[in-house]
């Protein structure tokens, strides 16, 4: 029960800022473009939450608790210089498949290989850098595999779109808040609002 409550708190820290952002932007009269399908935006938000949770993205409170010290062993900048981990590589690819699939689905203007690859790389880099705050390893191999996963997700999107004969739709039209802003707000929500040690201690106190 305590784990479920902690997970619900973490989810709220991520999802609520996204809901506030969407409500605020759409209230201004749709100046950000045509309205995005709410279920798709919610699905993307849930996916982002899942990535933050699985990767253990760092938070402000990790930095305050552990300080900003880090050692060279935490960072690997040489691609494939360590012992090969096929399972780890595969999991990193699979983790970012939905990113490459959902990004052009929500923002058709991003249906470009370079844009999705850059977006996947930037999102992965954000997570990898945040992990320096909680003593996790930052590895260039993760960046490369995550980026590959995003690209494969785009190819999957195109295959599905071609199969559904939807490739003729209009491109270049914004769909809700810009993706960089949307991701940044959800990440900031977890970074600023999620205090795992405090919440765990509070729940343990209630249970005791």
């Amino acid at each position: 029960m305590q784990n479920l409550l902690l997970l619900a708190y973490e989810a709220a820290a991520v999802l609520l800022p996204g809901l506030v952002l969407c409500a605020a932007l759409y209230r201004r009269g749709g100046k950000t473009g045509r309205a995005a399908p709410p279920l798709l935006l919610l699905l993307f938000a849930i996916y982002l939450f899942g990535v933050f949770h699985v990767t253990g993205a760092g938070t402000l409170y990790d930095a305050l608790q552990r300080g900003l010290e880090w050692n060279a062993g935490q960072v690997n900048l040489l691609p494939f210089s360590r012992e090969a981990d096929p399972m780890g590589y595969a999991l990193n690819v699979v983790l970012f498949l939905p990113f490459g699939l959902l990004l052009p689905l929500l923002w058709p203007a991003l249906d470009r290989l370079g844009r999705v690859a850059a977006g996947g790389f930037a999102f992965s880099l954000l997570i990898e850098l945040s992990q320096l705050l909680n003593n996790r390893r930052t590895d260039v191999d993760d960046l490369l595999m995550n980026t590959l996963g995003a690209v494969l997700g785009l190819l999957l999107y195109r295959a599905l779109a071609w199969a559904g004969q939807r490739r003729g739709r209009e491109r270049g039209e914004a769909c809700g808040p810009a993706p960089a802003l949307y991701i940044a707000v959800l990440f900031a929500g977890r970074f600023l609002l999620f205090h795992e040690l405090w919440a765990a201690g509070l729940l343990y106190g209630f249970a005791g």
Side-chain angles (χ1 to χ4, degrees):
M1 184 63 179
Q2 294 178 32
N3 290 337
L4 287 177
L5 290 175
L6 186 62
L7 187 65
Y9 162 48
E10 182 183 3
V14 174
L15 300 180
L16 289 181
L19 292 175
V20 171
L21 171 66
C22 291
L25 291 178
Y26 290 140
R27 195 169 184 177
R28 293 173 57 187
K31 295 181 180 179
T32 57
R34 65 183 175 86
L39 289 180
L40 278 181
L41 270 179
L42 177 60
L43 179 62
F44 189 57
I46 292 173
Y47 163 72
L48 294 177
F49 158 68
V51 172
F52 297 149
H53 177 76
V54 169
T55 59
T59 69
L60 173 64
Y61 307 101
D62 291 327
L64 295 176
Q65 179 74 20
R66 299 179 173 88
L68 296 178
E69 296 183 1
W70 58 278
N71 58 71
Q74 283 183 265
V75 180
N76 174 36
L77 300 178
L78 297 177
F80 309 111
S81 59
R82 301 177 184 270
E83 184 178 353
D85 179 13
M87 180 60 69
Y89 293 159
L91 290 176
N92 276 307
V93 169
V94 170
L95 184 65
F96 268 61
L97 274 174
F99 185 87
L101 176 64
L102 290 171
L103 209 64
L105 189 60
L106 274 165
W107 294 278
L110 297 181
D111 184 5
R112 301 290 188 276
L113 184 62
R115 293 179 182 180
V116 169
F121 182 87
F123 182 42
S124 179
L125 182 62
L126 175 67
I127 295 171
E128 292 294 319
L129 292 178
S130 76
Q131 289 176 335
L132 293 175
L133 303 177
N134 55 19
N135 294 328
R136 291 175 178 264
R137 289 185 63 250
T138 295
D139 198 320
V140 67
D141 292 353
D142 294 342
L143 280 171
L144 295 176
M145 292 300 102
N146 290 159
T147 304
L148 175 61
V151 169
L152 293 178
L154 172 64
L155 297 180
L156 177 60
Y157 161 78
R158 288 182 174 179
L160 293 174
W162 175 82
Q165 298 181 346
R166 293 179 294 167
R167 292 303 302 278
R169 66 175 176 163
E170 182 180 355
R171 290 185 179 187
E173 189 177 4
C175 187
L181 175 61
Y182 193 66
I183 294 171
V185 167
L186 269 65
F187 177 82
R190 187 181 191 278
F191 185 80
L192 297 173
L193 301 177
F194 182 56
H195 193 336
E196 184 176 8
L197 294 178
W198 170 81
L202 184 63
L203 292 173
Y204 179 80
F206 281 141

PDB file of all heavy atoms in Angstrom, residues 19 22 26 35-47 102 105-106 182:
ATOM      1  N   LEU A  19      -1.199  18.958 -16.933  1.00  0.00           N
ATOM      2  CA  LEU A  19      -2.607  19.333 -17.050  1.00  0.00           C
ATOM      3  C   LEU A  19      -2.793  20.837 -16.904  1.00  0.00           C
ATOM      4  O   LEU A  19      -3.576  21.454 -17.639  1.00  0.00           O
ATOM      5  CB  LEU A  19      -3.424  18.596 -15.987  1.00  0.00           C
ATOM      6  CG  LEU A  19      -3.549  17.081 -16.145  1.00  0.00           C
ATOM      7  CD1 LEU A  19      -4.286  16.477 -14.951  1.00  0.00           C
ATOM      8  CD2 LEU A  19      -4.272  16.735 -17.440  1.00  0.00           C
ATOM      9  N   CYS A  22      -1.583  22.552 -20.190  1.00  0.00           N
ATOM     10  CA  CYS A  22      -2.545  22.412 -21.290  1.00  0.00           C
ATOM     11  C   CYS A  22      -3.776  23.280 -21.062  1.00  0.00           C
ATOM     12  O   CYS A  22      -4.261  23.949 -21.977  1.00  0.00           O
ATOM     13  CB  CYS A  22      -2.951  20.949 -21.441  1.00  0.00           C
ATOM     14  SG  CYS A  22      -1.627  19.886 -22.062  1.00  0.00           S
ATOM     15  N   TYR A  26      -4.724  26.288 -23.713  1.00  0.00           N
ATOM     16  CA  TYR A  26      -5.960  26.186 -24.479  1.00  0.00           C
ATOM     17  C   TYR A  26      -6.959  27.266 -24.070  1.00  0.00           C
ATOM     18  O   TYR A  26      -7.806  27.675 -24.853  1.00  0.00           O
ATOM     19  CB  TYR A  26      -6.576  24.802 -24.307  1.00  0.00           C
ATOM     20  CG  TYR A  26      -5.768  23.721 -24.996  1.00  0.00           C
ATOM     21  CD1 TYR A  26      -5.581  22.477 -24.406  1.00  0.00           C
ATOM     22  CD2 TYR A  26      -5.191  23.951 -26.233  1.00  0.00           C
ATOM     23  CE1 TYR A  26      -4.835  21.492 -25.028  1.00  0.00           C
ATOM     24  CE2 TYR A  26      -4.437  22.979 -26.860  1.00  0.00           C
ATOM     25  CZ  TYR A  26      -4.269  21.753 -26.263  1.00  0.00           C
ATOM     26  OH  TYR A  26      -3.529  20.792 -26.883  1.00  0.00           O
ATOM     27  N   ALA A  35      -6.341  21.895 -31.341  1.00  0.00           N
ATOM     28  CA  ALA A  35      -6.386  21.185 -30.069  1.00  0.00           C
ATOM     29  C   ALA A  35      -5.885  19.756 -30.244  1.00  0.00           C
ATOM     30  O   ALA A  35      -6.251  19.068 -31.191  1.00  0.00           O
ATOM     31  CB  ALA A  35      -7.817  21.173 -29.538  1.00  0.00           C
ATOM     32  N   ALA A  36      -5.022  19.348 -29.332  1.00  0.00           N
ATOM     33  CA  ALA A  36      -4.517  17.983 -29.369  1.00  0.00           C
ATOM     34  C   ALA A  36      -5.558  17.034 -28.795  1.00  0.00           C
ATOM     35  O   ALA A  36      -6.308  17.400 -27.897  1.00  0.00           O
ATOM     36  CB  ALA A  36      -3.235  17.890 -28.557  1.00  0.00           C
ATOM     37  N   PRO A  37      -5.627  15.810 -29.310  1.00  0.00           N
ATOM     38  CA  PRO A  37      -6.518  14.816 -28.709  1.00  0.00           C
ATOM     39  C   PRO A  37      -6.140  14.612 -27.250  1.00  0.00           C
ATOM     40  O   PRO A  37      -4.996  14.223 -26.963  1.00  0.00           O
ATOM     41  CB  PRO A  37      -6.249  13.556 -29.550  1.00  0.00           C
ATOM     42  CG  PRO A  37      -5.695  14.069 -30.842  1.00  0.00           C
ATOM     43  CD  PRO A  37      -4.917  15.288 -30.492  1.00  0.00           C
ATOM     44  N   PRO A  38      -7.032  14.881 -26.317  1.00  0.00           N
ATOM     45  CA  PRO A  38      -6.677  14.792 -24.891  1.00  0.00           C
ATOM     46  C   PRO A  38      -6.125  13.432 -24.485  1.00  0.00           C
ATOM     47  O   PRO A  38      -5.184  13.361 -23.692  1.00  0.00           O
ATOM     48  CB  PRO A  38      -8.006  15.089 -24.184  1.00  0.00           C
ATOM     49  CG  PRO A  38      -8.803  15.872 -25.177  1.00  0.00           C
ATOM     50  CD  PRO A  38      -8.418  15.330 -26.513  1.00  0.00           C
ATOM     51  N   LEU A  39      -6.681  12.367 -25.030  1.00  0.00           N
ATOM     52  CA  LEU A  39      -6.213  11.036 -24.647  1.00  0.00           C
ATOM     53  C   LEU A  39      -4.783  10.780 -25.110  1.00  0.00           C
ATOM     54  O   LEU A  39      -4.006  10.125 -24.413  1.00  0.00           O
ATOM     55  CB  LEU A  39      -7.152   9.964 -25.203  1.00  0.00           C
ATOM     56  CG  LEU A  39      -8.526   9.878 -24.544  1.00  0.00           C
ATOM     57  CD1 LEU A  39      -9.357   8.772 -25.180  1.00  0.00           C
ATOM     58  CD2 LEU A  39      -8.390   9.627 -23.035  1.00  0.00           C
ATOM     59  N   LEU A  40      -4.428  11.322 -26.272  1.00  0.00           N
ATOM     60  CA  LEU A  40      -3.060  11.148 -26.761  1.00  0.00           C
ATOM     61  C   LEU A  40      -2.068  11.932 -25.913  1.00  0.00           C
ATOM     62  O   LEU A  40      -0.974  11.455 -25.604  1.00  0.00           O
ATOM     63  CB  LEU A  40      -2.960  11.588 -28.224  1.00  0.00           C
ATOM     64  CG  LEU A  40      -3.392  10.571 -29.283  1.00  0.00           C
ATOM     65  CD1 LEU A  40      -3.217  11.141 -30.684  1.00  0.00           C
ATOM     66  CD2 LEU A  40      -2.603   9.277 -29.146  1.00  0.00           C
ATOM     67  N   LEU A  41      -2.444  13.157 -25.550  1.00  0.00           N
ATOM     68  CA  LEU A  41      -1.569  13.942 -24.676  1.00  0.00           C
ATOM     69  C   LEU A  41      -1.415  13.267 -23.319  1.00  0.00           C
ATOM     70  O   LEU A  41      -0.330  13.248 -22.735  1.00  0.00           O
ATOM     71  CB  LEU A  41      -2.131  15.355 -24.494  1.00  0.00           C
ATOM     72  CG  LEU A  41      -1.668  16.415 -25.490  1.00  0.00           C
ATOM     73  CD1 LEU A  41      -2.331  17.756 -25.176  1.00  0.00           C
ATOM     74  CD2 LEU A  41      -0.153  16.557 -25.490  1.00  0.00           C
ATOM     75  N   LEU A  42      -2.511  12.724 -22.817  1.00  0.00           N
ATOM     76  CA  LEU A  42      -2.451  12.017 -21.540  1.00  0.00           C
ATOM     77  C   LEU A  42      -1.578  10.775 -21.665  1.00  0.00           C
ATOM     78  O   LEU A  42      -0.772  10.483 -20.763  1.00  0.00           O
ATOM     79  CB  LEU A  42      -3.860  11.622 -21.090  1.00  0.00           C
ATOM     80  CG  LEU A  42      -3.952  10.810 -19.788  1.00  0.00           C
ATOM     81  CD1 LEU A  42      -3.365  11.590 -18.619  1.00  0.00           C
ATOM     82  CD2 LEU A  42      -5.400  10.414 -19.499  1.00  0.00           C
ATOM     83  N   LEU A  43      -1.699  10.058 -22.770  1.00  0.00           N
ATOM     84  CA  LEU A  43      -0.875   8.876 -22.987  1.00  0.00           C
ATOM     85  C   LEU A  43       0.601   9.255 -23.034  1.00  0.00           C
ATOM     86  O   LEU A  43       1.448   8.560 -22.463  1.00  0.00           O
ATOM     87  CB  LEU A  43      -1.283   8.184 -24.290  1.00  0.00           C
ATOM     88  CG  LEU A  43      -0.493   6.928 -24.678  1.00  0.00           C
ATOM     89  CD1 LEU A  43      -0.676   5.845 -23.623  1.00  0.00           C
ATOM     90  CD2 LEU A  43      -0.946   6.424 -26.047  1.00  0.00           C
ATOM     91  N   PHE A  44       0.916  10.358 -23.701  1.00  0.00           N
ATOM     92  CA  PHE A  44       2.304  10.818 -23.777  1.00  0.00           C
ATOM     93  C   PHE A  44       2.818  11.208 -22.396  1.00  0.00           C
ATOM     94  O   PHE A  44       3.964  10.907 -22.036  1.00  0.00           O
ATOM     95  CB  PHE A  44       2.406  11.995 -24.738  1.00  0.00           C
ATOM     96  CG  PHE A  44       3.824  12.404 -25.063  1.00  0.00           C
ATOM     97  CD1 PHE A  44       4.713  11.493 -25.605  1.00  0.00           C
ATOM     98  CD2 PHE A  44       4.250  13.696 -24.837  1.00  0.00           C
ATOM     99  CE1 PHE A  44       6.020  11.859 -25.915  1.00  0.00           C
ATOM    100  CE2 PHE A  44       5.549  14.083 -25.149  1.00  0.00           C
ATOM    101  CZ  PHE A  44       6.435  13.160 -25.692  1.00  0.00           C
ATOM    102  N   ALA A  45       1.961  11.856 -21.608  1.00  0.00           N
ATOM    103  CA  ALA A  45       2.349  12.240 -20.249  1.00  0.00           C
ATOM    104  C   ALA A  45       2.605  11.013 -19.378  1.00  0.00           C
ATOM    105  O   ALA A  45       3.571  10.978 -18.599  1.00  0.00           O
ATOM    106  CB  ALA A  45       1.269  13.119 -19.621  1.00  0.00           C
ATOM    107  N   ILE A  46       1.757  10.009 -19.503  1.00  0.00           N
ATOM    108  CA  ILE A  46       1.939   8.774 -18.733  1.00  0.00           C
ATOM    109  C   ILE A  46       3.230   8.079 -19.166  1.00  0.00           C
ATOM    110  O   ILE A  46       3.973   7.534 -18.330  1.00  0.00           O
ATOM    111  CB  ILE A  46       0.723   7.845 -18.911  1.00  0.00           C
ATOM    112  CG1 ILE A  46      -0.512   8.469 -18.245  1.00  0.00           C
ATOM    113  CG2 ILE A  46       1.001   6.471 -18.310  1.00  0.00           C
ATOM    114  CD1 ILE A  46      -1.797   7.706 -18.503  1.00  0.00           C
ATOM    115  N   TYR A  47       3.503   8.112 -20.456  1.00  0.00           N
ATOM    116  CA  TYR A  47       4.753   7.527 -20.943  1.00  0.00           C
ATOM    117  C   TYR A  47       5.957   8.246 -20.337  1.00  0.00           C
ATOM    118  O   TYR A  47       6.914   7.598 -19.872  1.00  0.00           O
ATOM    119  CB  TYR A  47       4.808   7.592 -22.466  1.00  0.00           C
ATOM    120  CG  TYR A  47       6.198   7.397 -23.014  1.00  0.00           C
ATOM    121  CD1 TYR A  47       6.803   6.142 -22.975  1.00  0.00           C
ATOM    122  CD2 TYR A  47       6.923   8.473 -23.523  1.00  0.00           C
ATOM    123  CE1 TYR A  47       8.102   5.966 -23.446  1.00  0.00           C
ATOM    124  CE2 TYR A  47       8.215   8.312 -23.994  1.00  0.00           C
ATOM    125  CZ  TYR A  47       8.797   7.056 -23.954  1.00  0.00           C
ATOM    126  OH  TYR A  47      10.084   6.889 -24.401  1.00  0.00           O
ATOM    127  N   LEU A 102       5.023   8.406 -30.637  1.00  0.00           N
ATOM    128  CA  LEU A 102       4.038   9.389 -30.189  1.00  0.00           C
ATOM    129  C   LEU A 102       4.378  10.810 -30.621  1.00  0.00           C
ATOM    130  O   LEU A 102       3.478  11.637 -30.818  1.00  0.00           O
ATOM    131  CB  LEU A 102       3.905   9.336 -28.669  1.00  0.00           C
ATOM    132  CG  LEU A 102       3.240   8.086 -28.095  1.00  0.00           C
ATOM    133  CD1 LEU A 102       3.363   8.051 -26.574  1.00  0.00           C
ATOM    134  CD2 LEU A 102       1.783   8.030 -28.501  1.00  0.00           C
ATOM    135  N   LEU A 105       2.974  11.605 -33.952  1.00  0.00           N
ATOM    136  CA  LEU A 105       1.530  11.403 -33.892  1.00  0.00           C
ATOM    137  C   LEU A 105       0.847  12.629 -33.293  1.00  0.00           C
ATOM    138  O   LEU A 105      -0.229  13.041 -33.742  1.00  0.00           O
ATOM    139  CB  LEU A 105       1.214  10.160 -33.050  1.00  0.00           C
ATOM    140  CG  LEU A 105      -0.235   9.658 -33.045  1.00  0.00           C
ATOM    141  CD1 LEU A 105      -0.671   9.285 -34.450  1.00  0.00           C
ATOM    142  CD2 LEU A 105      -0.369   8.463 -32.119  1.00  0.00           C
ATOM    143  N   LEU A 106       1.496  13.226 -32.295  1.00  0.00           N
ATOM    144  CA  LEU A 106       0.956  14.422 -31.659  1.00  0.00           C
ATOM    145  C   LEU A 106       1.371  15.701 -32.372  1.00  0.00           C
ATOM    146  O   LEU A 106       0.605  16.668 -32.425  1.00  0.00           O
ATOM    147  CB  LEU A 106       1.409  14.484 -30.193  1.00  0.00           C
ATOM    148  CG  LEU A 106       0.558  13.725 -29.190  1.00  0.00           C
ATOM    149  CD1 LEU A 106       1.298  13.552 -27.864  1.00  0.00           C
ATOM    150  CD2 LEU A 106      -0.765  14.427 -28.966  1.00  0.00           C
ATOM    151  N   TYR A 182       6.297  20.962 -23.253  1.00  0.00           N
ATOM    152  CA  TYR A 182       5.500  19.950 -22.565  1.00  0.00           C
ATOM    153  C   TYR A 182       6.401  19.015 -21.751  1.00  0.00           C
ATOM    154  O   TYR A 182       6.148  18.746 -20.573  1.00  0.00           O
ATOM    155  CB  TYR A 182       4.707  19.161 -23.604  1.00  0.00           C
ATOM    156  CG  TYR A 182       3.617  18.282 -23.049  1.00  0.00           C
ATOM    157  CD1 TYR A 182       2.505  18.824 -22.416  1.00  0.00           C
ATOM    158  CD2 TYR A 182       3.698  16.894 -23.176  1.00  0.00           C
ATOM    159  CE1 TYR A 182       1.499  18.011 -21.917  1.00  0.00           C
ATOM    160  CE2 TYR A 182       2.691  16.078 -22.684  1.00  0.00           C
ATOM    161  CZ  TYR A 182       1.607  16.640 -22.054  1.00  0.00           C
ATOM    162  OH  TYR A 182       0.607  15.824 -21.560  1.00  0.00           O
TER     163      TYR A 182
END
